[in-house]
Amino acid sequence: MLPSSASESDVLLMDGPKPLSGWLWAPSNWPDGLLLAGSALYGLNGGIFFIFSICVMPSLAAVSDSEGIEVMQKINDVIQNAWFFLVFFGGFFQGIALLTILLRQGKSARKYVYWKYGLSSSLCYIGGCILVTVFANVPRNNALAGMDPSSNEAATYWREEYLTKW
């Protein structure tokens, strides 16, 4: 049973078994379920990056170098928690699972309505979020963690490397 707001064209877009719940948006197969989970995880990660870029980093740049470094060192310690890792790496594993399913099915993956979105969003997340974080941001964070916030070396690194490239 479809909701009363569903039209004939909505029903035609569904190329596969009807959702068990009767709601058009409920996933009816693994790839659609993974895509729904990925949408939530990618959205949460996007929010983290958005707030960091428009609020946290400009705020840290507005205070003294030693204060900014100290707070960033604390942020880098605090953010390493189960909730962050669940969202951050959950998106990674979701992306890998979805890519594996879609690539193994080859042309038959096209039976899923949103397969192109799943493929492209997984690749973008893995490339743009995971790889950039692992190979650019984490090394910067590790370098900053080992510095004395009141040193000239830390202040130079903070202004010339960290704030400009984060």
Side-chain angles (χ1 to χ4, degrees):
M1 178 170 171
L2 294 171
S4 60
S5 62
S7 68
E8 283 292 321
S9 62
D10 292 331
V11 176
L12 293 175
L13 287 175
M14 297 270 317
D15 185 23
K18 300 294 181 256
L20 296 176
S21 69
W23 291 96
L24 192 58
W25 55 266
S28 59
N29 51 58
W30 275 103
D32 286 347
L34 285 169
L35 185 58
L36 183 63
S39 297
L41 293 168
Y42 299 166
L44 288 168
N45 275 293
I48 292 169
F49 286 123
F50 180 73
I51 290 301
F52 243 82
S53 297
I54 68 152
C55 185
V56 174
M57 295 308 288
S59 296
L60 294 176
V63 298
S64 72
D65 292 342
S66 62
E67 288 174 320
I69 294 167
E70 254 183 270
V71 171
M72 193 66 213
Q73 287 172 335
K74 192 60 82 178
I75 288 170
N76 288 333
D77 288 339
V78 171
I79 202 163
Q80 295 183 45
N81 64 65
W83 288 109
F84 175 76
F85 288 134
L86 174 70
V87 170
F88 188 74
F89 290 110
F92 171 74
F93 290 117
Q94 173 277 337
I96 294 296
L98 187 59
L99 284 173
T100 302
I101 289 170
L102 294 175
L103 294 175
R104 280 184 153 198
Q105 291 185 0
K107 289 185 179 184
S108 68
R110 294 179 185 165
K111 69 183 175 191
Y112 303 114
V113 178
Y114 302 109
W115 74 272
K116 290 178 186 176
Y117 302 121
L119 186 65
S120 61
S121 64
S122 295
L123 289 172
C124 287
Y125 183 78
I126 291 167
C129 181
I130 298 291
L131 295 179
V132 168
T133 298
V134 168
F135 292 110
N137 295 339
V138 170
R140 278 190 201 101
N141 293 343
N142 290 340
L144 191 66
M147 294 184 180
D148 174 14
S150 60
S151 73
N152 287 337
E153 174 195 11
T156 301
Y157 179 78
W158 177 250
R159 288 283 167 199
E160 294 178 9
E161 175 72 22
Y162 202 94
L163 289 177
T164 59
K165 295 183 180 174
W166 203 102

PDB file of all heavy atoms in Angstrom, residues 76-102:
ATOM      1  N   ASN A  76      41.637  18.005  18.905  1.00  0.00           N
ATOM      2  CA  ASN A  76      42.152  16.787  18.281  1.00  0.00           C
ATOM      3  C   ASN A  76      42.151  15.600  19.242  1.00  0.00           C
ATOM      4  O   ASN A  76      42.034  14.455  18.808  1.00  0.00           O
ATOM      5  CB  ASN A  76      43.551  17.024  17.714  1.00  0.00           C
ATOM      6  CG  ASN A  76      43.522  17.900  16.484  1.00  0.00           C
ATOM      7  OD1 ASN A  76      42.534  17.950  15.765  1.00  0.00           O
ATOM      8  ND2 ASN A  76      44.604  18.619  16.247  1.00  0.00           N
ATOM      9  N   ASP A  77      42.280  15.853  20.528  1.00  0.00           N
ATOM     10  CA  ASP A  77      42.176  14.776  21.522  1.00  0.00           C
ATOM     11  C   ASP A  77      40.723  14.367  21.741  1.00  0.00           C
ATOM     12  O   ASP A  77      40.392  13.190  21.744  1.00  0.00           O
ATOM     13  CB  ASP A  77      42.775  15.212  22.867  1.00  0.00           C
ATOM     14  CG  ASP A  77      44.290  15.297  22.824  1.00  0.00           C
ATOM     15  OD1 ASP A  77      44.903  14.663  21.939  1.00  0.00           O
ATOM     16  OD2 ASP A  77      44.859  16.004  23.678  1.00  0.00           O
ATOM     17  N   VAL A  78      39.856  15.355  21.910  1.00  0.00           N
ATOM     18  CA  VAL A  78      38.457  15.096  22.251  1.00  0.00           C
ATOM     19  C   VAL A  78      37.697  14.448  21.101  1.00  0.00           C
ATOM     20  O   VAL A  78      36.836  13.589  21.323  1.00  0.00           O
ATOM     21  CB  VAL A  78      37.759  16.413  22.695  1.00  0.00           C
ATOM     22  CG1 VAL A  78      36.268  16.231  22.847  1.00  0.00           C
ATOM     23  CG2 VAL A  78      38.365  16.907  24.006  1.00  0.00           C
ATOM     24  N   ILE A  79      38.012  14.820  19.865  1.00  0.00           N
ATOM     25  CA  ILE A  79      37.245  14.311  18.720  1.00  0.00           C
ATOM     26  C   ILE A  79      37.476  12.822  18.486  1.00  0.00           C
ATOM     27  O   ILE A  79      36.673  12.161  17.829  1.00  0.00           O
ATOM     28  CB  ILE A  79      37.533  15.125  17.442  1.00  0.00           C
ATOM     29  CG1 ILE A  79      36.372  14.956  16.461  1.00  0.00           C
ATOM     30  CG2 ILE A  79      38.866  14.722  16.815  1.00  0.00           C
ATOM     31  CD1 ILE A  79      36.330  15.981  15.375  1.00  0.00           C
ATOM     32  N   GLN A  80      38.530  12.294  19.039  1.00  0.00           N
ATOM     33  CA  GLN A  80      38.791  10.863  18.882  1.00  0.00           C
ATOM     34  C   GLN A  80      37.945  10.084  19.898  1.00  0.00           C
ATOM     35  O   GLN A  80      38.420   9.703  20.962  1.00  0.00           O
ATOM     36  CB  GLN A  80      40.276  10.570  19.064  1.00  0.00           C
ATOM     37  CG  GLN A  80      41.110  11.207  17.972  1.00  0.00           C
ATOM     38  CD  GLN A  80      42.562  10.869  18.090  1.00  0.00           C
ATOM     39  OE1 GLN A  80      42.934   9.731  18.321  1.00  0.00           O
ATOM     40  NE2 GLN A  80      43.409  11.877  17.929  1.00  0.00           N
ATOM     41  N   ASN A  81      36.683   9.882  19.544  1.00  0.00           N
ATOM     42  CA  ASN A  81      35.755   9.169  20.409  1.00  0.00           C
ATOM     43  C   ASN A  81      34.882   8.245  19.564  1.00  0.00           C
ATOM     44  O   ASN A  81      34.888   8.308  18.338  1.00  0.00           O
ATOM     45  CB  ASN A  81      34.904  10.156  21.223  1.00  0.00           C
ATOM     46  CG  ASN A  81      34.021  11.007  20.352  1.00  0.00           C
ATOM     47  OD1 ASN A  81      33.112  10.508  19.691  1.00  0.00           O
ATOM     48  ND2 ASN A  81      34.270  12.315  20.335  1.00  0.00           N
ATOM     49  N   ALA A  82      34.151   7.398  20.241  1.00  0.00           N
ATOM     50  CA  ALA A  82      33.365   6.373  19.548  1.00  0.00           C
ATOM     51  C   ALA A  82      32.334   6.965  18.596  1.00  0.00           C
ATOM     52  O   ALA A  82      32.125   6.440  17.491  1.00  0.00           O
ATOM     53  CB  ALA A  82      32.677   5.467  20.569  1.00  0.00           C
ATOM     54  N   TRP A  83      31.668   8.036  18.974  1.00  0.00           N
ATOM     55  CA  TRP A  83      30.644   8.625  18.111  1.00  0.00           C
ATOM     56  C   TRP A  83      31.244   9.176  16.821  1.00  0.00           C
ATOM     57  O   TRP A  83      30.705   8.984  15.738  1.00  0.00           O
ATOM     58  CB  TRP A  83      29.874   9.730  18.839  1.00  0.00           C
ATOM     59  CG  TRP A  83      28.969   9.185  19.884  1.00  0.00           C
ATOM     60  CD1 TRP A  83      29.119   9.280  21.232  1.00  0.00           C
ATOM     61  CD2 TRP A  83      27.773   8.422  19.676  1.00  0.00           C
ATOM     62  NE1 TRP A  83      28.093   8.633  21.874  1.00  0.00           N
ATOM     63  CE2 TRP A  83      27.252   8.096  20.945  1.00  0.00           C
ATOM     64  CE3 TRP A  83      27.106   7.970  18.554  1.00  0.00           C
ATOM     65  CZ2 TRP A  83      26.092   7.354  21.104  1.00  0.00           C
ATOM     66  CZ3 TRP A  83      25.947   7.231  18.712  1.00  0.00           C
ATOM     67  CH2 TRP A  83      25.455   6.931  19.975  1.00  0.00           C
ATOM     68  N   PHE A  84      32.366   9.878  16.958  1.00  0.00           N
ATOM     69  CA  PHE A  84      33.013  10.407  15.754  1.00  0.00           C
ATOM     70  C   PHE A  84      33.487   9.277  14.848  1.00  0.00           C
ATOM     71  O   PHE A  84      33.270   9.295  13.638  1.00  0.00           O
ATOM     72  CB  PHE A  84      34.195  11.317  16.122  1.00  0.00           C
ATOM     73  CG  PHE A  84      34.959  11.778  14.912  1.00  0.00           C
ATOM     74  CD1 PHE A  84      34.442  12.765  14.096  1.00  0.00           C
ATOM     75  CD2 PHE A  84      36.175  11.205  14.574  1.00  0.00           C
ATOM     76  CE1 PHE A  84      35.132  13.181  12.959  1.00  0.00           C
ATOM     77  CE2 PHE A  84      36.868  11.615  13.445  1.00  0.00           C
ATOM     78  CZ  PHE A  84      36.346  12.609  12.640  1.00  0.00           C
ATOM     79  N   PHE A  85      34.130   8.269  15.437  1.00  0.00           N
ATOM     80  CA  PHE A  85      34.628   7.155  14.625  1.00  0.00           C
ATOM     81  C   PHE A  85      33.491   6.383  13.977  1.00  0.00           C
ATOM     82  O   PHE A  85      33.625   5.914  12.846  1.00  0.00           O
ATOM     83  CB  PHE A  85      35.519   6.229  15.454  1.00  0.00           C
ATOM     84  CG  PHE A  85      36.860   6.841  15.785  1.00  0.00           C
ATOM     85  CD1 PHE A  85      37.367   6.770  17.067  1.00  0.00           C
ATOM     86  CD2 PHE A  85      37.609   7.493  14.819  1.00  0.00           C
ATOM     87  CE1 PHE A  85      38.604   7.328  17.380  1.00  0.00           C
ATOM     88  CE2 PHE A  85      38.842   8.054  15.118  1.00  0.00           C
ATOM     89  CZ  PHE A  85      39.339   7.970  16.398  1.00  0.00           C
ATOM     90  N   LEU A  86      32.374   6.246  14.667  1.00  0.00           N
ATOM     91  CA  LEU A  86      31.212   5.563  14.089  1.00  0.00           C
ATOM     92  C   LEU A  86      30.729   6.297  12.839  1.00  0.00           C
ATOM     93  O   LEU A  86      30.504   5.690  11.796  1.00  0.00           O
ATOM     94  CB  LEU A  86      30.077   5.464  15.110  1.00  0.00           C
ATOM     95  CG  LEU A  86      28.760   4.908  14.572  1.00  0.00           C
ATOM     96  CD1 LEU A  86      28.898   3.422  14.270  1.00  0.00           C
ATOM     97  CD2 LEU A  86      27.641   5.149  15.564  1.00  0.00           C
ATOM     98  N   VAL A  87      30.592   7.608  12.942  1.00  0.00           N
ATOM     99  CA  VAL A  87      30.109   8.395  11.801  1.00  0.00           C
ATOM    100  C   VAL A  87      31.164   8.453  10.694  1.00  0.00           C
ATOM    101  O   VAL A  87      30.869   8.201   9.527  1.00  0.00           O
ATOM    102  CB  VAL A  87      29.712   9.818  12.264  1.00  0.00           C
ATOM    103  CG1 VAL A  87      29.441  10.727  11.081  1.00  0.00           C
ATOM    104  CG2 VAL A  87      28.506   9.753  13.185  1.00  0.00           C
ATOM    105  N   PHE A  88      32.401   8.747  11.056  1.00  0.00           N
ATOM    106  CA  PHE A  88      33.453   8.934  10.058  1.00  0.00           C
ATOM    107  C   PHE A  88      33.778   7.618   9.336  1.00  0.00           C
ATOM    108  O   PHE A  88      33.740   7.556   8.115  1.00  0.00           O
ATOM    109  CB  PHE A  88      34.708   9.498  10.736  1.00  0.00           C
ATOM    110  CG  PHE A  88      35.777   9.909   9.773  1.00  0.00           C
ATOM    111  CD1 PHE A  88      35.654  11.060   9.022  1.00  0.00           C
ATOM    112  CD2 PHE A  88      36.916   9.137   9.620  1.00  0.00           C
ATOM    113  CE1 PHE A  88      36.647  11.444   8.128  1.00  0.00           C
ATOM    114  CE2 PHE A  88      37.910   9.516   8.728  1.00  0.00           C
ATOM    115  CZ  PHE A  88      37.769  10.665   7.988  1.00  0.00           C
ATOM    116  N   PHE A  89      34.086   6.578  10.096  1.00  0.00           N
ATOM    117  CA  PHE A  89      34.446   5.311   9.462  1.00  0.00           C
ATOM    118  C   PHE A  89      33.224   4.501   9.053  1.00  0.00           C
ATOM    119  O   PHE A  89      33.316   3.649   8.177  1.00  0.00           O
ATOM    120  CB  PHE A  89      35.385   4.506  10.358  1.00  0.00           C
ATOM    121  CG  PHE A  89      36.749   5.127  10.453  1.00  0.00           C
ATOM    122  CD1 PHE A  89      37.171   5.709  11.629  1.00  0.00           C
ATOM    123  CD2 PHE A  89      37.584   5.175   9.352  1.00  0.00           C
ATOM    124  CE1 PHE A  89      38.419   6.307  11.714  1.00  0.00           C
ATOM    125  CE2 PHE A  89      38.829   5.769   9.421  1.00  0.00           C
ATOM    126  CZ  PHE A  89      39.249   6.337  10.606  1.00  0.00           C
ATOM    127  N   GLY A  90      32.075   4.763   9.660  1.00  0.00           N
ATOM    128  CA  GLY A  90      30.838   4.129   9.211  1.00  0.00           C
ATOM    129  C   GLY A  90      30.543   4.510   7.780  1.00  0.00           C
ATOM    130  O   GLY A  90      30.137   3.673   6.963  1.00  0.00           O
ATOM    131  N   GLY A  91      30.751   5.778   7.438  1.00  0.00           N
ATOM    132  CA  GLY A  91      30.586   6.232   6.057  1.00  0.00           C
ATOM    133  C   GLY A  91      31.572   5.564   5.119  1.00  0.00           C
ATOM    134  O   GLY A  91      31.236   5.208   3.984  1.00  0.00           O
ATOM    135  N   PHE A  92      32.784   5.349   5.604  1.00  0.00           N
ATOM    136  CA  PHE A  92      33.799   4.666   4.801  1.00  0.00           C
ATOM    137  C   PHE A  92      33.383   3.228   4.514  1.00  0.00           C
ATOM    138  O   PHE A  92      33.392   2.778   3.364  1.00  0.00           O
ATOM    139  CB  PHE A  92      35.146   4.700   5.525  1.00  0.00           C
ATOM    140  CG  PHE A  92      36.201   3.847   4.879  1.00  0.00           C
ATOM    141  CD1 PHE A  92      36.801   4.236   3.696  1.00  0.00           C
ATOM    142  CD2 PHE A  92      36.588   2.648   5.455  1.00  0.00           C
ATOM    143  CE1 PHE A  92      37.776   3.452   3.096  1.00  0.00           C
ATOM    144  CE2 PHE A  92      37.554   1.858   4.871  1.00  0.00           C
ATOM    145  CZ  PHE A  92      38.163   2.259   3.690  1.00  0.00           C
ATOM    146  N   PHE A  93      33.012   2.490   5.572  1.00  0.00           N
ATOM    147  CA  PHE A  93      32.638   1.087   5.383  1.00  0.00           C
ATOM    148  C   PHE A  93      31.338   0.952   4.590  1.00  0.00           C
ATOM    149  O   PHE A  93      31.185   0.024   3.800  1.00  0.00           O
ATOM    150  CB  PHE A  93      32.554   0.358   6.724  1.00  0.00           C
ATOM    151  CG  PHE A  93      33.903   0.166   7.355  1.00  0.00           C
ATOM    152  CD1 PHE A  93      34.208   0.747   8.570  1.00  0.00           C
ATOM    153  CD2 PHE A  93      34.881  -0.583   6.709  1.00  0.00           C
ATOM    154  CE1 PHE A  93      35.458   0.583   9.138  1.00  0.00           C
ATOM    155  CE2 PHE A  93      36.136  -0.750   7.270  1.00  0.00           C
ATOM    156  CZ  PHE A  93      36.436  -0.168   8.495  1.00  0.00           C
ATOM    157  N   GLN A  94      30.428   1.878   4.785  1.00  0.00           N
ATOM    158  CA  GLN A  94      29.204   1.883   3.983  1.00  0.00           C
ATOM    159  C   GLN A  94      29.553   2.080   2.526  1.00  0.00           C
ATOM    160  O   GLN A  94      29.020   1.413   1.645  1.00  0.00           O
ATOM    161  CB  GLN A  94      28.258   2.985   4.484  1.00  0.00           C
ATOM    162  CG  GLN A  94      27.026   3.192   3.638  1.00  0.00           C
ATOM    163  CD  GLN A  94      27.266   4.077   2.422  1.00  0.00           C
ATOM    164  OE1 GLN A  94      28.193   4.882   2.386  1.00  0.00           O
ATOM    165  NE2 GLN A  94      26.443   3.926   1.431  1.00  0.00           N
ATOM    166  N   GLY A  95      30.443   3.017   2.240  1.00  0.00           N
ATOM    167  CA  GLY A  95      30.855   3.286   0.864  1.00  0.00           C
ATOM    168  C   GLY A  95      31.535   2.095   0.227  1.00  0.00           C
ATOM    169  O   GLY A  95      31.265   1.750  -0.927  1.00  0.00           O
ATOM    170  N   ILE A  96      32.405   1.434   0.969  1.00  0.00           N
ATOM    171  CA  ILE A  96      33.094   0.249   0.453  1.00  0.00           C
ATOM    172  C   ILE A  96      32.082  -0.867   0.179  1.00  0.00           C
ATOM    173  O   ILE A  96      32.135  -1.531  -0.870  1.00  0.00           O
ATOM    174  CB  ILE A  96      34.180  -0.235   1.440  1.00  0.00           C
ATOM    175  CG1 ILE A  96      35.309   0.798   1.556  1.00  0.00           C
ATOM    176  CG2 ILE A  96      34.725  -1.605   1.046  1.00  0.00           C
ATOM    177  CD1 ILE A  96      36.102   1.028   0.286  1.00  0.00           C
ATOM    178  N   ALA A  97      31.140  -1.078   1.116  1.00  0.00           N
ATOM    179  CA  ALA A  97      30.124  -2.127   0.923  1.00  0.00           C
ATOM    180  C   ALA A  97      29.274  -1.835  -0.311  1.00  0.00           C
ATOM    181  O   ALA A  97      29.019  -2.727  -1.132  1.00  0.00           O
ATOM    182  CB  ALA A  97      29.245  -2.237   2.168  1.00  0.00           C
ATOM    183  N   LEU A  98      28.845  -0.591  -0.454  1.00  0.00           N
ATOM    184  CA  LEU A  98      28.008  -0.228  -1.595  1.00  0.00           C
ATOM    185  C   LEU A  98      28.786  -0.354  -2.906  1.00  0.00           C
ATOM    186  O   LEU A  98      28.277  -0.898  -3.892  1.00  0.00           O
ATOM    187  CB  LEU A  98      27.455   1.188  -1.428  1.00  0.00           C
ATOM    188  CG  LEU A  98      26.435   1.628  -2.466  1.00  0.00           C
ATOM    189  CD1 LEU A  98      25.225   0.705  -2.470  1.00  0.00           C
ATOM    190  CD2 LEU A  98      25.997   3.061  -2.192  1.00  0.00           C
ATOM    191  N   LEU A  99      30.023   0.126  -2.923  1.00  0.00           N
ATOM    192  CA  LEU A  99      30.848  -0.005  -4.129  1.00  0.00           C
ATOM    193  C   LEU A  99      31.041  -1.475  -4.493  1.00  0.00           C
ATOM    194  O   LEU A  99      30.963  -1.842  -5.662  1.00  0.00           O
ATOM    195  CB  LEU A  99      32.213   0.660  -3.923  1.00  0.00           C
ATOM    196  CG  LEU A  99      32.251   2.171  -3.982  1.00  0.00           C
ATOM    197  CD1 LEU A  99      33.631   2.687  -3.596  1.00  0.00           C
ATOM    198  CD2 LEU A  99      31.864   2.670  -5.353  1.00  0.00           C
ATOM    199  N   THR A 100      31.299  -2.300  -3.499  1.00  0.00           N
ATOM    200  CA  THR A 100      31.506  -3.730  -3.744  1.00  0.00           C
ATOM    201  C   THR A 100      30.263  -4.362  -4.373  1.00  0.00           C
ATOM    202  O   THR A 100      30.358  -5.087  -5.369  1.00  0.00           O
ATOM    203  CB  THR A 100      31.872  -4.452  -2.434  1.00  0.00           C
ATOM    204  OG1 THR A 100      33.052  -3.853  -1.906  1.00  0.00           O
ATOM    205  CG2 THR A 100      32.106  -5.933  -2.666  1.00  0.00           C
ATOM    206  N   ILE A 101      29.101  -4.075  -3.797  1.00  0.00           N
ATOM    207  CA  ILE A 101      27.855  -4.631  -4.336  1.00  0.00           C
ATOM    208  C   ILE A 101      27.623  -4.154  -5.766  1.00  0.00           C
ATOM    209  O   ILE A 101      27.342  -4.952  -6.662  1.00  0.00           O
ATOM    210  CB  ILE A 101      26.658  -4.257  -3.437  1.00  0.00           C
ATOM    211  CG1 ILE A 101      26.731  -5.030  -2.128  1.00  0.00           C
ATOM    212  CG2 ILE A 101      25.337  -4.538  -4.138  1.00  0.00           C
ATOM    213  CD1 ILE A 101      25.730  -4.558  -1.076  1.00  0.00           C
ATOM    214  N   LEU A 102      27.748  -2.859  -5.987  1.00  0.00           N
ATOM    215  CA  LEU A 102      27.466  -2.313  -7.316  1.00  0.00           C
ATOM    216  C   LEU A 102      28.469  -2.787  -8.365  1.00  0.00           C
ATOM    217  O   LEU A 102      28.089  -3.125  -9.487  1.00  0.00           O
ATOM    218  CB  LEU A 102      27.424  -0.790  -7.269  1.00  0.00           C
ATOM    219  CG  LEU A 102      26.275  -0.180  -6.462  1.00  0.00           C
ATOM    220  CD1 LEU A 102      26.407   1.334  -6.400  1.00  0.00           C
ATOM    221  CD2 LEU A 102      24.923  -0.574  -7.041  1.00  0.00           C
TER     222      LEU A 102
END
